[in-house]
Amino acid sequence: MIGGKPQDIVFTSGGTESNNLVIHSMVRYFHEQQTLKGHEIDQHSSEEGARPHFVTCTVEHDSIRLPLEHLLEEQMAEVTFVPVSKVNGQAEVEDVLAAVRPTTCLVTIMLANNETGVIMPVPEISRRIKALNQRRAASSLPQILVHTDAAQALGKRRVDVEDLGVDFLTIVGHKFYGPRIGALYVRGVGKLTPLYPMLFGGGQERNFRPGDLGACRGPFLGAAELVSENCEAYEAHMRDIRDYLEERLEAEFGKRLHLNSRFPGVERLPNTCNFSIRGSKLQGYMVLAQCQTLLASVGASCHSDHEDRPSPVLLSCGIPVDVARNALRLSVGRSTTRADVDLIVQDLKQAVAQLEG
């Protein structure tokens, strides 16, 4: 499914664990490398060089953002959150490169955003980092590794670790109709690319991730095989239905509609539609509360406890506060039909009429 080698896969409980495993491994690896070079490490020193530095962007999933913020608060790492462009919703390659420091050990940029569907320029970032690593080696600076959280992209577009050029890639089963477990791709795990366990136990996954996930592997691999065989067909179907959904929304709501996930000239996932219907009474969660059929979210589905707040991701992408507050995120799937779209557009129309009536 991802063009890698079987021995480079480590199964985990999900994307959150995979992302945390990468981050904590890089902290440990940085300190081991410093110790090997004979440098004195002081965890609480304010001097650059005492702590590992991470580069990420402002629209990452919380399973990247929160562990990095925790390390920052505990003075165990330095972190640069690169803003995304308000023109295209992407983390710009030049901005990512400009954030690199002598102590940078990891660049982690998601492959596709979970709220807008915008595809990030991960292959170009990887290529530039590899070129930079050649120059850093001459100065005895630590190698920078590249990680991408590919959870949202898998099953919706072709993903290949060789094309991406990454060292780590996060996989989440339920995003491509598999069980709710995850996996982590690590290029040359434990040899070319460091990985340190966060858990200790029965020795499963070559001790990189002990704990029995055996019953889930069969369905996980079956779902991955279906993606490998049918990805282009899945992608074409989802794009057709998503485009039809946006056409119907535009026809129904006209100039009141703002498509938050559509940036000119930027590639995005084929299944994601993030939009707002302008109106003082049409906050996303209020519209959903009036819907009789539609099930959706106002942002990331794992943030449903913040339903009355505008999405930080949309605000980072330059969407005005009053528009972001009204946002709804709809996702189509392999079995979604045009009849389904007609049904939910009618449902939205009635919900809006009820709120404004």
Side-chain angles (χ1 to χ4, degrees):
M1 182 175 69
I2 62 168
K5 298 176 181 177
Q7 60 266 32
D8 289 343
I9 296 292
V10 176
F11 284 95
T12 68
S13 65
T16 293
E17 184 183 342
S18 294
N19 288 343
N20 276 263
L21 188 54
V22 171
I23 290 167
H24 289 286
S25 288
M26 291 311 300
V27 171
R28 180 169 169 182
Y29 179 68
F30 176 85
H31 288 306
E32 285 195 359
Q33 292 300 107
Q34 293 289 308
T35 302
L36 285 172
K37 291 177 183 177
H39 295 315
E40 193 71 31
I41 300 299
D42 177 5
Q43 296 270 17
H44 302 287
S45 168
S46 61
E47 295 177 11
E48 184 177 282
R51 294 189 287 269
H53 175 243
F54 294 81
V55 178
T56 188
C57 73
T58 53
V59 299
E60 292 291 322
H61 191 271
D62 276 359
S63 58
I64 290 290
R65 182 180 63 84
L66 291 177
L68 289 176
E69 286 182 351
H70 174 74
L71 290 172
L72 189 58
E73 289 167 6
E74 295 294 317
Q75 297 186 343
M76 296 173 65
E78 299 294 333
V79 185
T80 300
F81 292 93
V82 175
V84 294
S85 165
K86 289 179 167 48
V87 175
N88 58 29
Q90 292 180 318
E92 300 277 22
V93 177
E94 295 301 333
D95 293 340
V96 171
L97 269 291
V100 168
R101 302 178 187 176
T103 51
T104 302
C105 61
L106 184 74
V107 170
T108 173
I109 302 291
M110 63 186 0
L111 184 52
N113 185 262
N114 50 312
E115 293 191 37
T116 64
V118 166
I119 308 296
M120 300 292 180
V122 173
E124 179 64 10
I125 290 170
S126 295
R127 188 184 69 77
R128 295 285 296 277
I129 291 294
K130 280 182 171 52
L132 179 60
N133 277 335
Q134 293 179 350
R135 300 195 295 274
R136 286 170 69 92
S139 304
S140 299
L141 291 173
Q143 180 186 17
I144 302 170
L145 298 180
V146 180
H147 166 248
T148 191
D149 180 347
Q152 205 68 23
L154 288 164
K156 291 109 180 174
R157 71 192 305 268
R158 187 62 66 186
V159 174
D160 189 294
V161 292
E162 296 306 321
D163 293 341
L164 294 173
V166 294
D167 303 292
F168 302 99
L169 182 139
T170 292
I171 304 164
V172 178
H174 67 270
K175 296 294 187 180
F176 54 93
Y177 293 73
R180 299 188 75 88
I181 64 167
L184 180 65
Y185 165 81
V186 187
R187 186 183 297 276
V189 58
K191 297 174 182 176
L192 295 176
T193 306
L195 191 72
Y196 300 91
M198 292 194 298
L199 305 174
F200 299 88
Q204 295 90 345
E205 300 303 310
R206 293 151 288 163
N207 282 314
F208 290 115
R209 199 286 178 187
D212 192 0
L213 298 168
C216 300
R217 281 192 196 156
F220 187 100
L221 296 173
E225 189 172 11
L226 285 173
V227 170
S228 298
E229 294 171 354
N230 303 297
C231 190
E232 284 76 13
Y234 294 154
E235 181 177 4
H237 171 75
M238 285 187 242
R239 178 170 286 108
D240 175 69
I241 299 297
R242 192 273 315 278
D243 290 350
Y244 178 68
L245 168 63
E246 293 183 347
E247 289 168 13
R248 291 284 287 108
L249 289 170
E250 287 176 313
E252 194 61 59
F253 298 106
K255 293 182 179 179
R256 300 180 69 189
L257 185 79
H258 187 274
L259 292 169
N260 304 320
S261 53
R262 189 186 284 178
F263 294 88
V266 176
E267 187 184 359
R268 56 179 173 144
L269 293 177
N271 72 316
T272 306
C273 172
N274 194 311
F275 67 96
S276 298
I277 305 166
R278 291 183 174 90
S280 60
K281 299 178 182 178
L282 302 182
Q283 285 86 356
Y285 74 99
M286 294 178 67
V287 173
L288 285 177
Q290 295 296 326
C291 287
Q292 301 300 307
T293 304
L294 174 63
L295 294 176
S297 64
V298 295
S301 55
C302 43
H303 300 164
S304 55
D305 53 334
H306 302 315
E307 60 184 12
D308 58 336
R309 303 180 199 168
S311 161
V313 168
L314 295 183
L315 297 178
S316 295
C317 294
I319 306 298
V321 173
D322 60 326
V323 176
R325 191 176 284 119
N326 290 15
L328 292 171
R329 184 189 65 162
L330 306 190
S331 299
V332 304
R334 298 175 191 173
S335 60
T336 312
T337 65
R338 291 191 172 211
D340 293 330
V341 169
D342 293 337
L343 186 65
I344 68 102
V345 171
Q346 183 62 27
D347 198 15
L348 284 167
K349 179 182 176 182
Q350 291 174 350
V352 167
Q354 210 162 359
L355 286 169
E356 294 191 324

